[in-house]
């Protein structure tokens, strides 16, 4: 099969499209013929050895994908060859075929394309876990979403609106803000040209926002935390800006603010029942048209490395999907 391989950890431009052995399903696994694989910021980190996990070399990036079952290993009874599925494997999706733990697979919902399926679970799973389980976001509260034009940001806007919150979308360009507005954002903030803290306070009549969802980090983190209300919640989702901020803890003390980490992948393993409930809710919203993956670009497998590089530079909006099988 063809696969985009990371052979040594290093720069993204060292990824190569090469021939690789066909995977075989071990006990408890399925082999998926990949039809589409979505790209995410962790794909850029994992090939550089900068992510929380370091797969055994060589490996293919590509955390989430959709396709059809080719083979079911011993003990797998929920899936059979030909079933259309979504998979969240952590890596391995940027290949024509991928072996994955059957517990990380779910049926592709009716009415959802392979491309939508590939682009759905990581960003929407992360965002519903962050907002519902961690922040306990309530109807009528105000949420500020940083990086609102990215995959997690767009998903957070969708989900927060479905939960009845007011959403302030913050991003670094008019195009990204327009995308967030198309998904229902109530107010827009361009932090490339506006003071983030002052604008958030102005948009909340000086009160501050109830919740901040931050997948960006860097220089915007402290300003966003300073713009939270009494007992505001600041969600640490990621560091797309590249820098992990150092937050003065007195900011938490002064208004009884909470700084809350969001680690969706680990939460899925620790509380599968909660995850299953979140998936059911997401699929209900998808069927109702309340949430929809924003696929802004589709590329081929031989173009995937360049697309990952653009994603790492924060040049992408929404979700980039790699088309693989036919």
């Amino acid at each position: 099969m063809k696969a985009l391989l990371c052979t040594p950890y290093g720069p993204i431009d060292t990824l190569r499209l090469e021939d690789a052995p066909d995977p075989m399903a071990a006990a408890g696994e399925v082999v998926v013929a990949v039809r589409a694989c979505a790209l995410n910021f962790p794909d850029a980190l994992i090939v550089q050895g900068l992510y929380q996990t370091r797969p055994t070399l060589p490996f293919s990036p590509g955390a989430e994908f959709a396709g059809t079952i080719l083979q079911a290993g011993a003990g797998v009874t929920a899936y059979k060859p030909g079933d259309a599925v979504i998979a969240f494997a952590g890596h391995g999706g940027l290949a024509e075929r991928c072996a994955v733990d059957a517990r990380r697979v779910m049926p592709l919902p009716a009415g959802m394309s392979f491309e939508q399926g590939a682009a759905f679970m990581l960003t929407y799973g992360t965002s519903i876990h962050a907002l519902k389980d961690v922040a306990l976001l309530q109807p009528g509260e105000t949420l500020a979403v940083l990086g609102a034009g990215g995959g997690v940001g767009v998903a957070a806007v969708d989900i927060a609106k479905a939960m009845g919150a007011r959403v302030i979308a913050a991003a670094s360009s008019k195009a990204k803000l327009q995308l967030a507005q198309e998904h229902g954002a109530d107010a827009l903030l361009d932090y490339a040209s506006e003071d983030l803290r002052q604008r958030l306070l102005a948009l909340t009549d000086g009160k501050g926002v109830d919740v901040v969802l931050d997948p960006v980090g860097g220089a915007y983190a402290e300003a966003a935390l300073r713009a939270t209300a009494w007992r505001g919640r600041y969600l640490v989702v990621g560091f797309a800006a590249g820098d992990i901020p150092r937050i003065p803890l007195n900011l938490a003390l002064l208004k009884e603010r909470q700084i809350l980490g969001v680690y969706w992948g680990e939460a899925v393993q620790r509380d599968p029942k909660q995850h299953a409930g979140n998936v059911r809710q997401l699929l209900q919203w998808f069927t109702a048209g309340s949430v929809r993956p924003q696929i802004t670009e589709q590329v081929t497998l031989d173009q995937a490395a360049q697309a990952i590089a653009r994603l790492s530079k924060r040049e992408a909006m929404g979700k980039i999907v790699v088309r693989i099988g036919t």
Side-chain angles (χ1 to χ4, degrees):
M1 68 170 184
K2 293 292 185 183
L4 187 69
L5 292 181
C6 175
T7 304
Y9 287 110
I12 296 167
D13 61 10
T14 62
L15 292 171
R16 294 290 181 267
L17 185 62
E18 298 181 8
D19 292 321
D22 278 335
M24 298 295 292
E29 291 185 338
V30 294
V31 172
V32 178
V34 181
R35 294 284 301 275
C37 179
L39 301 183
N40 297 280
F41 191 75
D43 293 321
L45 298 179
I46 200 168
V47 300
Q48 299 176 79
L50 301 176
Y51 198 53
Q52 292 100 317
T53 57
R54 289 171 64 94
T56 302
L57 296 168
F59 72 94
S60 297
E64 57 177 345
F65 52 92
T68 55
I69 300 288
L70 284 179
Q71 180 190 12
V76 177
T77 58
Y79 302 101
K80 64 184 185 302
D83 287 348
V85 296
I86 296 172
F88 178 74
H91 64 274
L94 287 174
E96 292 179 325
R97 291 173 281 284
C98 182
V100 57
D101 188 324
R103 293 172 296 182
R104 288 178 167 263
V105 170
M106 60 176 280
L108 183 74
M112 186 178 286
S113 68
F114 286 112
E115 291 78 14
Q116 289 175 317
F120 192 64
M121 212 52 248
L122 192 150
T123 50
Y124 281 87
T126 296
S127 294
I128 192 173
H129 172 62
L131 297 176
K132 184 177 77 69
D133 305 331
V134 181
L136 306 177
L137 182 68
Q138 300 299 306
E141 288 192 312
T142 298
L143 167 73
V145 179
L146 308 192
V152 169
V154 168
V157 173
D158 270 353
I159 290 168
K161 293 305 299 178
M163 293 177 68
R166 177 185 180 228
V167 177
I168 301 172
S172 59
S173 73
K174 291 182 179 179
K176 292 176 180 179
L177 289 172
Q178 181 178 349
L179 183 60
Q181 188 174 42
E182 291 170 0
H183 281 256
D186 299 285
L188 308 178
L189 191 164
D190 185 344
Y191 46 57
S193 60
E194 298 178 277
D195 184 290
L196 176 61
R197 179 191 178 196
Q198 293 303 321
R199 184 66 174 144
L200 286 176
L201 291 173
L203 288 168
T204 55
D205 297 323
K207 170 180 175 288
V209 298
D210 299 295
V211 180
V212 172
L213 184 140
D214 183 8
V216 180
Y220 302 119
E222 183 175 330
L225 179 61
R226 287 179 179 274
T228 54
W230 172 257
R231 291 184 175 171
R233 290 92 80 199
Y234 173 85
L235 299 173
V236 182
V237 180
F239 310 104
D243 295 325
I244 298 177
R246 299 176 185 272
I247 300 293
L249 288 181
N250 66 305
L251 297 179
L253 181 152
L254 291 173
K255 288 192 176 181
E256 293 194 358
R257 298 168 169 125
Q258 299 176 54
I259 301 173
L260 301 166
V262 178
Y263 190 179
W264 174 69
E266 182 68 16
V268 169
Q269 301 303 311
R270 289 177 177 268
D271 196 342
K273 288 185 179 179
Q274 183 182 71
H275 170 62
N278 287 346
V279 170
R280 287 193 296 272
Q281 179 63 79
L282 288 172
L283 294 180
Q284 290 173 8
W285 283 335
F286 176 81
T287 301
S290 301
V291 304
R292 64 188 191 282
Q294 183 66 53
I295 300 170
T296 55
E297 187 178 353
Q298 297 189 39
V299 300
T300 56
L301 191 54
D302 62 344
Q303 299 169 324
Q306 294 92 332
I308 293 172
R310 293 200 306 277
L311 193 65
S312 74
K313 298 173 185 175
R314 299 174 62 201
E315 295 174 354
M317 297 194 303
K319 296 282 281 195
I320 301 174
V321 169
V322 182
R323 300 189 309 273
I324 298 176
T326 57

